[in-house]
């Protein structure tokens, strides 16, 4: 038989252990919640492309800009890049292949910064741009010109001539002429090329730009 003082001490000890157990379960739940939902940058780099899955935070003053444009304004921006090859990446936050390929676009912008101007065009809802802006910020898309279509999805595909789905890429030469288009549709029959050819074609246009015969 346990005396009352001993029983009190026993109940007090049990209470302490129970509280510690509850706190540990809550901490475990918090950890699981934090790790159970991948940040967009983690999702985007899960394709084994070599991009880090945990990017360093951007400096507070390195804010990624996102500008809403019409197709006409988009064409004006292409023509403003005289002397540089232009790569355009059409994407959306709801498109998983787009998110997986996006670090590659960022990598090309950094690798060929002297010769290539990279433009990203989001097909997300122009009335709700925050998701696209947040993804771009997490991807540290500071070396690309980031645009958001002013149109709805069907109009975007039609007016920007996106065929076979997104991601969809366009390559323009130094004179602003559209030279190549790429998509990930294996059933392509519309003169587009596979995405794997993108960097090869990019290098061709850079070399053409730098060659004596390339200047007209």
């Amino acid at each position: 038989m346990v005396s009352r003082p001993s029983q009190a001490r026993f109940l007090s000890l049990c209470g302490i252990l129970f509280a510690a157990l509850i706190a540990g379960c809550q901490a475990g739940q918090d950890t699981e919640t934090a790790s159970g939902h991948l940040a967009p940058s983690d999702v985007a780099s899960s394709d084994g492309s070599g991009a880090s899955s945990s990017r360093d935070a951007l400096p507070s003053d390195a804010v990624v800009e996102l500008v809403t444009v019409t197709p006409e304004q988009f064409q004006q921006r292409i023509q403003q890049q005289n002397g540089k090859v232009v790569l355009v990446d059409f994407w959306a936050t709801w498109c998983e292949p787009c998110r997986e390929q996006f670090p590659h676009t960022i990598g090309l912008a950094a690798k060929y910064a002297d010769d290539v101007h990279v433009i990203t065009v989001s097909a997300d809802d122009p009335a709700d741009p925050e998701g696209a802006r947040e993804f771009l910020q997490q991807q540290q898309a500071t070396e690309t010109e980031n645009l958001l279509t002013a149109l709805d999805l069907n109009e975007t595909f039609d007016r920007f001539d996106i065929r076979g789905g997104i991601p969809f890429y366009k390559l323009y030469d130094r004179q602003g002429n559209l030279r190549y288009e790429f998509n990930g549709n294996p059933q392509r029959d519309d003169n587009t090329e596979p995405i794997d050819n993108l960097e090869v074609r990019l290098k061709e246009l850079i070399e053409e730009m730098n060659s004596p015969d390339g200047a007209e």
Side-chain angles (χ1 to χ4, degrees):
M1 181 175 180
V2 180
S3 63
R4 286 184 180 274
S6 299
Q7 184 177 24
R9 286 194 297 270
F10 176 78
L11 292 175
S12 176
L13 179 59
C14 288
I16 293 172
L17 292 175
F18 180 76
L21 179 61
I22 292 298
C25 290
Q26 184 62 46
Q29 289 174 351
D30 293 342
T31 302
E32 182 177 357
T33 300
S35 62
H37 299 278
L38 294 177
S41 59
D42 294 334
V43 174
S45 61
S46 63
D47 63 337
S49 62
S52 173
S53 62
S54 57
R55 295 173 177 271
D56 295 333
L58 281 172
S60 58
D61 59 343
V63 177
V64 173
E65 294 187 2
L66 181 62
V67 179
T68 302
V69 296
T70 64
E72 293 75 20
Q73 291 169 328
F74 166 77
Q75 288 298 332
Q76 291 173 3
R77 289 173 181 267
I78 296 295
Q79 298 305 320
Q80 290 170 358
Q81 304 306 320
N82 254 349
K84 280 197 170 186
V85 174
V86 179
L87 166 63
V88 183
D89 177 354
F90 293 91
W91 68 285
T93 57
W94 44 261
C95 166
E96 189 65 25
C98 298
R99 296 165 69 100
E100 292 175 352
Q101 289 289 334
F102 204 87
H104 186 236
T105 299
I106 298 299
L108 291 176
K111 184 176 181 180
Y112 300 106
D114 292 339
D115 298 307
V116 179
H117 182 74
V118 178
I119 298 175
T120 73
V121 181
S122 170
D124 286 283
D125 184 356
D128 185 19
E130 290 309 312
R133 184 178 287 110
E134 180 181 355
F135 177 78
L136 291 167
Q137 191 76 23
Q138 290 171 333
Q139 292 295 311
Q140 300 185 15
T142 56
E143 297 189 44
T144 57
E145 181 178 5
N146 304 302
L147 308 178
L148 174 68
T149 174
L151 309 176
D152 65 29
L153 188 59
N154 288 333
E155 286 183 300
T156 294
F157 273 55
D158 181 44
R159 297 283 301 280
F160 286 93
D161 193 24
I162 299 172
R163 307 180 305 283
I166 53 177
F168 192 86
Y169 303 87
K170 295 176 184 278
L171 265 181
Y172 296 80
D173 64 21
R174 64 186 176 88
Q175 295 175 317
N177 301 312
L178 178 61
R179 296 285 293 273
Y180 302 106
E181 296 175 295
F182 310 83
N183 71 35
N185 183 359
Q187 306 301 323
R188 71 185 64 80
D189 56 359
D190 51 9
N191 296 321
T192 61
E193 297 192 21
I195 294 175
D196 289 346
N197 289 2
L198 196 158
E199 189 168 5
V200 172
R201 294 301 193 187
L202 185 63
K203 290 179 179 178
E204 287 180 5
L205 292 182
I206 291 173
E207 291 171 2
E208 176 182 294
M209 180 183 74
N210 290 334
S211 67
D213 296 336
E216 298 180 0

